[in-house]
Amino acid sequence: MWTLIGRDGKPHLSAEPGTIGGHRGGRLYGRLDCRTALQALARGGYVKSRVFFRDEPTAIAAGYRPCAVCMPLEYAKWKTAIAR
Ligand SMILES: [Zn+2]
């Protein structure tokens, strides 16, 4: 079982692993192989804040925003959306 963050922003158990990673403190989501996330994980400290989502819509519903490094297109869309 995996612990994933649901659309309500709360953790729940899932039989399927997540496809999207995130940072609880920064309210960021991104690819599991995100360069900056892996660097932060390697430095330590990130591990406690690491969360996972089933997919991108779930991360958005939970109030997270896309990572500018590994999801530049999604990030640009998000920035445009909040600028309105
Ligand atoms: Zn990223």
Side-chain angles (χ1 to χ4, degrees):
M1 296 292 274
W2 282 265
T3 302
L4 304 182
I5 302 296
R7 302 179 67 87
D8 55 4
K10 296 190 181 116
H12 63 95
L13 287 174
S14 165
E16 303 281 327
T19 62
I20 294 281
H23 187 285
R24 196 186 348 243
R27 289 263 165 198
L28 280 166
Y29 72 85
R31 296 159 47 113
L32 293 178
D33 60 353
C34 172
R35 177 163 48 86
T36 51
L38 292 179
Q39 276 170 2
L41 284 166
R43 278 199 304 269
Y46 192 150
V47 179
K48 283 198 306 280
S49 302
R50 188 79 158 139
V51 291
F52 298 96
F53 302 93
R54 177 193 299 270
D55 51 26
E56 205 189 336
T58 306
I60 295 169
Y64 284 62
R65 70 163 178 86
C67 171
V69 175
C70 58
M71 300 187 126
L73 288 177
E74 289 82 355
Y75 179 75
K77 265 192 272 176
W78 172 81
K79 272 199 90 168
T80 310
I82 59 156
R84 276 189 199 125

